[in-house]
Amino acid sequence: MTLVQMQPRSAYSNPVRRTVDGAMEAAGPQVCDDMTVEVALAVMASARSGHLLVCDEDGLCTGLVTLARLAAIRESAAYTDRVRLRDVLGDRGPFTSPMTTMAEAEHAMRYRRLDALPVVDDQGSALGVLALAR
């Protein structure tokens, strides 16, 4: 797995010291956690995005959902068209800080088997997304 790099790297840069701030993508589409899975899938399709950042009623990031995860939820036997994103997210997170080193972020993503990781500020607002290269 290789992380997406949004800025050119200097020949003298130390990969252990590079931070997430320099490699994250723009936050992209953000939706409220009271949105249904069906509507979230429609938003994702219209935005041509593979993931959505999910926020609570205060605008704080509560997590990230992927197209694959929402499709799997929709295919489950317990699914109804009333299932909301907050019902499938569970606990808040995982997140990373823009000051986290790339090495730490990559390790966390591999350990948790994540393709994308929300980057949040100290208050919990979404700043961007760190995504693995395809």
Side-chain angles (χ1 to χ4, degrees):
M1 288 185 203
T2 305
L3 290 173
V4 170
Q5 189 165 343
M6 301 303 288
Q7 296 179 348
R9 199 167 72 178
S10 163
Y12 301 103
S13 67
N14 182 345
V16 175
R17 297 288 178 207
R18 286 186 305 125
T19 62
V20 167
D21 187 43
M24 68 181 178
E25 301 172 4
Q30 296 182 35
V31 296
C32 192
D33 64 358
D34 67 348
M35 181 178 283
T36 64
V37 168
E38 286 299 320
V39 174
L41 284 165
V43 168
M44 205 176 289
S46 67
R48 294 184 176 136
S49 177
H51 62 267
L52 295 172
L53 287 171
V54 182
C55 299
D56 64 13
E57 63 276 355
D58 297 321
L60 301 179
C61 186
T62 57
L64 180 140
V65 291
T66 63
L67 179 59
R69 181 156 183 222
L70 292 182
I73 290 166
R74 188 168 59 177
E75 297 301 317
S76 74
Y79 175 76
T80 71
D81 62 356
R82 295 184 181 167
V83 174
R84 301 202 179 275
L85 294 177
R86 72 170 60 110
D87 301 331
V88 299
L89 275 179
D91 295 333
R92 288 190 73 201
F95 307 105
T96 193
S97 160
M99 300 313 296
T100 302
T101 66
M102 290 296 291
E104 291 171 324
E106 185 176 29
H107 174 75
M109 291 175 76
R110 286 182 186 195
Y111 178 76
R112 293 180 176 165
R113 297 185 180 135
L114 301 173
D115 291 332
L117 187 62
V119 181
V120 298
D121 64 15
D122 293 337
Q123 289 77 38
S125 297
L127 298 174
V129 175
L130 187 65
L132 294 174
R134 300 278 174 221

